[in-house]
Amino acid sequence: MRVTWDIFCNVVDNYGDIGVAWRLARGLAREHGLAVRLWVDDLRTFHRIWPAIDPLAAGQTSEGVAICAWHTPFVATEPARVVIEAFGCALPEAYLEAMARQSPPPVWINLEYLSAETWVAGHHGLPSPHARLPLTKYFFFPGYTADTGGLPAESGLMARREAFLERSAPGFWRDLQIGAPQADELRVSLFAYENPALSALLDAWAVDARPVTCLVPEGRIIPQLAAWLGVPSLQAGAVHQRGRLRLRILPFTDQDAYDQLLWACDLNFVRGEDSCVRAQWAARPLVWQAYPQADEAHWNKLDALLTLYTVGLDPAAACAVSGMWRHWNAMPDADGVAARWATWRARRAAIEHHAQAWCERLAGAGSLTEKLVEFAEKKLK
């Protein structure tokens, strides 16, 4: 009999939570042949990253995954053998009670946010007994080292990327109604939260010695871009030129097309968890904006990833990468963004080479999907 899995996702941070949960659900169904139900409390946001989803349907199937609307009060449902609570979303009380009535109880896993911090390995896999019910929850931490829960990555991802770059990239640019890149042109994707450093960065690009094309999927950064341009609003398809900078607004796209954008661009500005991981798998230089937290707690996460990411870079290139990341995250920095950008430009070749090498190193952490399945199977025995 197929082992059943339930994944619960409460959409909190726009697309990051559902992005990770959906990749996981697809991987479990496609690569491991598991019966997976994905419970989501905001199907409209889900629809943005996967347009095949009907935001009004109580139940539907996509990519072999049963998609269920998570409503309150929660409908009576027989729990799966493995239950994933994505990012501490708190399971419905009625579902927890049903879990407690099963013998043996389901394997209950709290999938935590990804972090490169050193404490993650020590907390990965730890049990947490429920205060009232005969249930135990296990904390599962994705991470960048082999002693953590690994990274989201579907099988064949690298082969798909290489095939795209070899055969499909010219057609990708044509579909966007953008010509092939010029020899000295830098193409940048920009997916970001609101950011006070944005105007200074755009100013630096506008006076760059070489042309910069910035491709911006519709999202939270659009009002800031419009204000910088001095226009009332921006819509998908809009193109604006200022100095050496050409800005083009793209329609919000699904996960697979966003991967292609990351593969095709020379530099990717990404935010949160899902797009950060995908940018690393793209083997392209990136600048990460961590999800802002109170008391700048996200700075620790940023520094932890920088510490790992810059291993093997020469000091000047490491300084260029760190400077851009830290400035983009409003960390204390004596230099302005123009100086940071000039330093990054000067070390671009080394940074590009490192991005490819880093992508190859990521495989050492293992696959999140495979490690979750292995963990659950051991607990089911």
Side-chain angles (χ1 to χ4, degrees), residues 26-334:
R26 292 169 68 191
L28 291 170
R30 179 189 300 168
E31 299 173 20
H32 296 273
L34 298 168
V36 181
R37 289 186 301 197
L38 176 59
W39 297 86
V40 184
D41 69 343
D42 182 357
L43 291 174
R44 294 186 182 278
T45 297
F46 191 1
H47 171 77
R48 295 293 305 279
I49 67 166
W50 201 254
I53 296 299
D54 180 352
L56 301 179
Q60 57 195 297
T61 300
S62 182
E63 300 286 300
V65 177
I67 312 297
C68 305
W70 178 1
H71 294 310
T72 301
F74 190 75
V75 297
T77 303
E78 182 180 355
R81 294 295 297 120
V82 181
V83 179
I84 304 294
E85 181 180 319
F87 316 117
C89 62
L91 299 178
E93 188 63 28
Y95 189 90
L96 276 173
E97 296 280 357
M99 288 170 59
R101 290 193 294 269
Q102 288 191 331
S103 181
V107 177
W108 179 15
I109 299 171
N110 183 48
L111 178 63
E112 293 284 351
Y113 287 103
L114 170 66
S115 178
E117 293 171 284
T118 55
W119 59 264
V120 164
H123 290 73
H124 173 60
L126 291 182
S128 175
H130 193 277
R132 178 174 52 87
L133 299 172
L135 297 170
T136 298
K137 175 166 60 177
Y138 297 92
F139 292 99
F140 199 94
F141 284 86
Y144 290 89
T145 56
D147 51 0
T148 67
L151 293 165
E154 58 273 26
S155 63
L157 176 61
M158 301 303 102
R160 288 196 295 111
R161 185 193 70 202
E162 294 309 310
F164 169 84
L165 294 173
E166 291 175 6
R167 299 190 292 272
S168 304
F172 174 79
W173 294 124
R174 284 196 302 271
D175 290 343
L176 291 179
Q177 298 181 335
I178 302 174
Q182 303 175 33
D184 61 345
E185 177 188 4
L186 186 75
R187 292 207 165 162
V188 182
S189 76
L190 177 63
F191 184 50
Y193 305 113
E194 298 85 352
N195 195 317
L198 178 64
S199 294
L201 179 63
L202 297 174
D203 289 341
W205 286 346
V207 298
D208 200 286
R210 287 156 289 185
V212 177
T213 296
C214 182
L215 305 166
V216 189
E218 291 176 309
R220 288 169 56 172
I221 203 73
I222 295 297
Q224 269 193 277
L225 287 172
W228 183 80
L229 289 166
V231 298
S233 63
L234 289 170
Q235 305 295 329
V239 180
H240 290 267
Q241 185 84 34
R242 179 175 292 185
R244 302 293 278 172
L245 172 63
R246 178 175 57 158
L247 278 167
R248 188 179 188 94
I249 310 302
L250 304 180
F252 199 90
T253 188
D254 65 39
Q255 284 186 329
D256 291 349
Y258 182 65
D259 276 340
Q260 294 177 349
L261 178 66
L262 296 174
W263 299 340
C265 285
D266 303 300
L267 169 63
N268 296 300
F269 281 70
V270 290
R271 68 176 217 198
E273 179 175 329
D274 188 52
S275 62
C276 179
V277 174
R278 303 311 285 190
Q280 292 174 70
W281 288 123
R284 300 289 198 185
L286 72 147
V287 177
W288 179 42
Q289 183 184 17
Y291 181 72
Q293 295 177 282
D295 301 322
E296 284 73 47
H298 56 293
W299 288 356
N300 292 331
K301 293 184 177 182
L302 186 95
D303 277 338
L305 182 52
L306 271 174
T307 297
L308 285 180
Y309 185 77
T310 55
V311 170
L313 267 173
D314 68 77
C319 181
V321 170
S322 298
M324 282 299 300
W325 285 36
R326 292 172 65 85
H327 198 287
W328 192 238
N329 285 270
M331 297 175 75
D333 187 1

Side-chain angles (χ1 to χ4, degrees), residues 285 313-314 317 344-356:
L313 267 173
D314 68 77
W344 190 97
R345 269 290 208 183
R347 306 303 303 174
R348 176 184 168 186
I351 295 170
E352 287 180 335
H353 178 76
H354 178 75
Q356 296 173 4

